[in-house]
Amino acid sequence: MQAILEHFKAISAIPRCSYHAEKMKDFIKHCASDLGFRVQEDACGNVLCVKGTPRVCLQAHYDMVCIGDTDPIVLYQEDSWLKARASTLGADNGMGMAIMFWAMERHDDLECLFTSDEEVGLLGAMGFSLPLRSDYILNLDAEEAGEIYIGCAGGVDVHATLELTYEPLEKEALLYEVHAFDFLGGHSGVDIDKPIPSAIKALAYELLHQKEIRLVSIEGGERLNAIPKSATAVVACSHPLGITDPRIRVRRLEDARFMHALVQSDRIVGALGAFAQGVRAWDKTLDIPSLSMNLGIVTQKQNELHVEVSIRAMDDENLAILANETTAFFKGFSFTCKLEGGHGAWKPSVGAFADVVRDAMQTFYPYAVFKAIHAGLECGELVARQSKKIEAVSIGPTIRYPHSVREECDLDSVERMAHVVQKIISFYKD
């Protein structure tokens, strides 16, 4: 276990925010070469490391969601839980990478794939162009030890834009900064069914019930695939502003910069207030959400307001339907819309490899079960891009509250997952 933790500490010392993980990529290539692996890189920055004659390809992504102060990540431990001070931990998917480095030190017949920019739409996996030697992919990006994932949601992002115009404020107008703060945050997929409120929605709800207010500005959210932790608006009104939500702070402003209000105030507040955040439908068979939406980011730049929404579905047909419905919703408030970052669902299937993984998992978790996850995993995209038939399964240690500053990883489960990985690799050597 200590060896894996040391690998994770080394990984955590290197910047690897999505789109800005070049140093991490170079670190992977250097380490793999030192361990005798043949290293290849494709145009998307995916790094494939091969040694001997492998049957199993371990796979993880090397970017992370950076929220808080991740330069550097400051690690600390409470009991068996590894955490970070004031930032995301990066165990998603850094702990999977650490297990891979540990395995690379111990095996001569192994393939390891480190993919890029997973957290911003599975970009690396969707552009993966190298042939795998292995027959099986063991993805290490799952976040609940003892669960074996054989399917995942598809996703697409809706980017809605509203052109803004301004009108002068009266001299007697009262100005307030309204700040929704200290919300929990969380992963927009695996946490979307939990009682985690959105700061953007809470702010919009309060503004929706105020009389005769006009927006001067509004922004909120941290990442498209994270439930928003904070949101801030500047509003003008002719009377004292009354906010009832204790999580929303109101501060009176007297600033000559705020001389104009948005003509589109009612449309913006109406759209954000009416947006159906959260789970839209439930899959009773898999016991997970089948459809969900997360309004992740609102930004105001010069004469445009941008709203970014992440949509997930367990099947491609309903993903397209919900994307079209969401586009129509925003167009009804005069926004223009475009879809970006689409990736298909990974249809659940149990094959021979899944049975091998279950047998290994049940050594440590007797009641290990097959599941699907309401989040994006790279397995489906990677399998689809190979000319030969490949089976994929996803497992991983227990990680709670990913994509938030509360993220934490159970180190006991890391050790058990490493032994599961060891058993799976060894099975195909016999």
Side-chain angles (χ1 to χ4, degrees), residues 174-197:
L174 302 177
L175 287 168
Y176 294 93
E177 180 189 72
V178 187
H179 180 47
F181 65 101
D182 202 27
F183 282 63
L184 291 176
H187 190 290
S188 65
V190 297
D191 291 329
I192 199 69
D193 60 326
K194 297 178 176 65
I196 300 176

Side-chain angles (χ1 to χ4, degrees), residues 402-422:
H403 298 190
S404 78
V405 296
R406 297 186 299 150
E407 182 184 355
E408 56 187 16
C409 180
D410 177 30
L411 294 178
D412 290 342
S413 72
V414 171
E415 184 172 12
R416 288 190 286 269
M417 283 302 104
H419 288 303
V420 170
V421 170
Q422 174 76 17

Side-chain angles (χ1 to χ4, degrees), residues 370-399:
F370 293 123
K371 299 195 72 173
I373 188 171
H374 192 67
L377 289 172
E378 296 163 292
C379 301
E381 295 294 335
L382 295 173
V383 167
R385 280 159 177 75
Q386 294 300 301
S387 59
K388 65 178 183 178
K389 183 179 179 181
I390 291 180
E391 292 184 50
V393 169
S394 178
I395 61 173
T398 297
I399 300 172

Side-chain angles (χ1 to χ4, degrees), residues 262-316:
L262 294 171
V263 174
Q264 295 81 11
S265 290
D266 289 344
R267 292 180 189 172
I268 296 168
V269 174
L272 300 182
F275 181 82
Q277 169 81 10
V279 176
R280 294 291 302 273
W282 192 265
D283 189 314
K284 294 182 179 179
T285 301
L286 298 172
D287 196 29
I288 57 174
S290 60
L291 293 171
S292 73
M293 300 195 299
N294 178 62
L295 197 161
I297 300 176
V298 176
T299 53
Q300 184 175 333
K301 296 180 180 179
Q302 296 181 340
N303 295 323
E304 290 184 337
L305 185 81
H306 299 278
V307 178
E308 300 178 41
V309 174
S310 173
I311 295 174
R312 302 180 191 269
M314 297 307 295
D315 66 275
D316 292 342

Side-chain angles (χ1 to χ4, degrees), residues 94-172:
M95 200 58 79
M97 294 170 60
I99 293 173
M100 288 168 67
F101 285 135
W102 174 82
M104 291 168 76
E105 292 173 335
R106 286 160 175 76
H107 295 279
D108 293 326
D109 296 295
L110 185 63
E111 190 167 32
C112 288
L113 172 60
F114 299 85
T115 49
S116 64
D117 293 329
E118 186 269 355
E119 297 290 8
V120 286
L122 312 186
L123 298 185
M126 292 182 68
F128 182 57
S129 59
L130 298 172
L132 294 177
R133 297 224 184 150
S134 302
D135 300 312
Y136 310 108
I137 296 174
L138 186 63
N139 170 281
L140 300 177
D141 195 19
E143 293 167 352
E144 187 62 47
E147 296 182 349
I148 304 161
Y149 291 93
I150 55 170
C152 75
V156 67
D157 303 330
V158 177
H159 292 251
T161 301
L162 180 67
E163 291 189 9
L164 301 176
T165 53
Y166 295 84
E167 59 185 358
L169 281 173
E170 301 83 1
K171 291 184 179 180
E172 61 272 16

Side-chain angles (χ1 to χ4, degrees), residues 197-254:
S198 161
I200 293 174
K201 284 292 298 180
L203 177 64
Y205 181 82
E206 285 288 345
L207 297 180
L208 194 64
H209 288 81
Q210 299 295 321
K211 295 181 179 179
E212 299 176 356
I213 69 155
R214 286 178 290 170
L215 283 175
V216 175
S217 65
I218 186 167
E219 292 198 347
E222 296 74 37
R223 295 290 186 277
L224 180 55
N225 54 2
I227 300 171
K229 286 173 50 61
S230 63
T232 303
V234 175
V235 302
C237 55
S238 59
H239 52 80
L241 194 64
I243 298 293
T244 60
D245 192 326
R247 301 164 301 180
I248 298 180
R249 182 175 61 217
V250 178
R251 181 169 65 96
R252 177 73 185 277
L253 297 176
E254 294 184 11

